[in-house]
Amino acid sequence: MSNVGKTDQASFDTDVINSDKPVLVDFWAEWCGPCRTLGPVLDEVAGEIGENAKILKVNVDENGDLAQKYGIRGIPTMIFFKNGEPAKTLVGLQGKEEIKKTLEELS
């Protein structure tokens, strides 16, 4: 079972903006090869960080308004939120250590 959740336009405020812990939001799409490669990496990171942060995915094809709101121009794009505000953005395929380090800095 995956440790990575999903969010969308309807639940984004509850899941991300109002979260009491840091949240990594992965903006992705089914057809994106690098996005599919990143999936297992995020699942590993989620398993290792446990309850210290949340990792959620947003499908840009199904949630165009969210992608537009956060200026997503290429995928995968990961936006790290802290206290409801974007704190850092990583674009493109990233390594597990870079993702973990960024989450730990925000925790």
Side-chain angles (χ1 to χ4, degrees):
M1 184 178 129
S2 176
N3 295 309
V4 177
K6 294 180 182 169
T7 190
D8 57 22
Q9 184 74 44
S11 61
F12 194 83
D13 282 357
T14 302
D15 294 339
V16 179
I17 304 302
N18 299 328
S19 177
D20 59 351
K21 57 180 94 172
V23 183
L24 182 170
V25 179
D26 173 31
F27 290 85
W28 74 291
E30 291 281 343
W31 49 264
C32 167
C35 298
R36 289 195 306 269
T37 302
L38 184 61
V41 174
L42 291 179
D43 202 38
E44 264 186 59
V45 172
E48 292 176 15
I49 61 166
E51 296 295 314
N52 296 326
K54 295 195 290 190
I55 299 179
L56 301 171
K57 297 172 92 50
V58 171
N59 186 316
V60 296
D61 290 335
E62 297 168 0
N63 297 280
D65 289 349
L66 276 177
Q68 185 174 6
K69 177 177 181 178
Y70 289 101
I72 306 303
R73 293 194 170 20
I75 52 174
T77 293
M78 291 172 279
I79 300 180
F80 297 79
F81 288 80
K82 182 167 184 171
N83 300 323
E85 296 291 326
K88 184 168 183 177
T89 301
L90 297 176
V91 179
L93 193 54
Q94 303 291 324
K96 176 179 156 185
E97 292 310 313
E98 178 68 18
I99 296 166
K100 267 185 77 173
K101 183 179 88 155
T102 304
L103 278 171
E104 287 166 357
E105 287 169 2
L106 297 175
S107 291

